[in-house]
Amino acid sequence: MREFSAEYLRRTREGMWDDSREALRGLSLDDRERVLDVGCGTGELSRVLDSESPDDCEVIGCDADVGLLSTASDHVSVVAGDATRLPFADDSFDLVVCQALLINLPDPAAAVTEFARVSSDLVAAIEPDNGAVTIESSVDAEAGLATRAREAYLDGVPTDVTLGARASDAFATADLDVVRTARYDHARSIEPPYDESAVRSAKRKASGDGLADDRETLLAGALTPDEYDDLRAAWREMGRTVVHQMGDRAYRRIETVPFHVTVGRVRGEKRDMTAPKPGR
């Protein structure tokens, strides 16, 4: 499984549900008693689940990275564990959910099958389609260069980071009945006044460090070393323009990432055999 830093997760997930939580309606959070957030990272989604669930509902975050769990534990109970070998008994929860996890796994269906094992009712996956990301920028070259870099990255990354709406295929493999799907567009904006994260991002563009970090993945696909060097040179030039516009307080950027929320229910025969819900 691919690994991410706490800073990356904070930057990409922070505030995701601040403007609307309508896409989470299919999770029936008002009725939940025990919820598991798999691949919780630093706990951004765990906090949303906790705030939207009843006061007596227990929300637990689970992640294989104990370093990330140290941050999540400030807000919810946490347990270290692998998404494909969860350290919980069958039917321990009435909702198991993940966000941007399946796209980073080599076998998403294996994880969803494990989610179904520990759920007595619902399983939900909130997964992006990173192939459909759009960017609007005051720097003319940025959107086109971002598209070039993204296409090369998608060609080289070993997992399906465009999974999005096709998460339902993994649900079918896990014998879950899909009961609801919804799309939620997460828009991340940069505009004056710029926070520290935006300034750091601009400086990384100007230095080319971001592309350098992904060099191995970019070259794992069809991109040649010469094409990579050309892309990085153009990227650095674009970054310098970003920094210049920031100095004039003129830089603006909106990145929109489409997320697809897939909700499945365990088959009726399993629910009929399930003991009373945990904690009751």
Side-chain angles (χ1 to χ4, degrees), residues 147-163:
T147 297
R148 283 175 56 190
R150 185 182 313 110
E151 289 175 349
Y153 185 87
L154 295 177
D155 192 36
V157 73
T159 61
D160 185 2
V161 295
T162 67
L163 185 67

Side-chain angles (χ1 to χ4, degrees), residues 188-228:
R188 300 195 294 261
S189 300
I190 297 176
E191 58 185 15
Y194 308 112
D195 60 21
E196 292 183 7
S197 176
V199 173
R200 284 196 303 271
S201 177
K203 290 180 178 178
R204 284 175 59 80
K205 286 186 174 77
S207 67
D209 286 349
L211 288 188
D213 290 346
D214 291 331
R215 185 177 187 276
E216 182 178 351
T217 301
L218 292 169
L219 292 177
L223 194 73
T224 68
D226 286 344
E227 289 171 336
Y228 167 81

